[in-house]
Amino acid sequence: MEGEVAYGNMFRALAPMYYRGSAAAIIVYDITKEETFSTLKNWVKELRQHGPPNIVVAIAGNKCDLIDVREVMERDAKDYADSIHAVFVETSAKNAININELFIEISRRIPSTDANPPSGGKGFKLRRQPSEPKRSCC
């Protein structure tokens, strides 16, 4: 356990390097492990305190294909996401459920950039795809 704590603290110290200047952050928890949802809340606090002020936050409950061993209720996670104005979706990376939908919803919330950036700009513009019907995990 000590090694995990030391590794977690080390990563937490480096985290601002990774999200500095980011437009969005996806924070993932495992729906089959309640402690990952508690840890997620700490990461949200960290991001709100030290991240960019207008960052779009998305919360993804992964492993929704394992509903028989669920520990985090979808309603609880959805309510928390709503309370912090975050995108929420349950996903399954294994079965590719709601992954595209997660990124589409994030792109909808990122403010659009000027269509004519100053010369020499190296930016790019995200284009929205027509929405597909959402697939429900369970």
Side-chain angles (χ1 to χ4, degrees):
M1 187 69 164
E2 274 185 41
E4 280 183 34
V5 172
Y7 178 75
N9 288 336
M10 180 182 72
F11 185 76
R12 190 175 303 277
L14 296 174
M17 267 180 17
Y18 290 100
Y19 53 71
R20 184 180 307 128
S22 296
I26 302 171
I27 306 173
V28 182
Y29 70 95
D30 180 341
I31 72 160
T32 70
K33 295 181 180 168
E34 178 70 39
E35 68 270 13
T36 64
F37 187 63
S38 298
T39 301
L40 169 138
K41 293 177 181 180
N42 293 331
W43 281 109
V44 169
K45 286 179 190 173
E46 166 75 18
L47 188 60
R48 294 292 192 210
Q49 288 174 355
H50 303 289
N54 296 322
I55 192 167
V56 174
V57 175
I59 294 175
N62 197 37
K63 299 187 182 178
C64 70
D65 54 302
L66 301 177
I67 57 170
D68 54 328
V69 289
R70 175 189 289 275
E71 289 185 6
V72 181
M73 295 296 104
E74 184 177 11
R75 173 75 347 215
D76 294 340
K78 172 82 169 106
D79 288 347
Y80 174 71
D82 288 347
S83 76
I84 63 165
H85 309 291
V87 172
F88 172 75
V89 66
E90 285 198 341
T91 62
S92 170
K94 177 181 176 183
N95 296 331
I97 297 170
N98 288 336
I99 304 299
N100 287 340
E101 291 78 5
L102 174 62
F103 284 96
I104 290 168
E105 186 56 34
I106 290 169
S107 72
R108 285 186 178 126
R109 294 199 188 188
I110 294 174
S112 62
T113 58
D114 185 3
N116 299 315
S119 61
K122 303 259 182 204
F124 61 92
K125 186 170 184 175
L126 294 174
R127 290 188 214 139
R128 293 192 178 127
Q129 299 289 330
S131 292
E132 296 177 19
K134 285 191 177 184
R135 290 186 295 179
S136 179
C137 179
C138 311

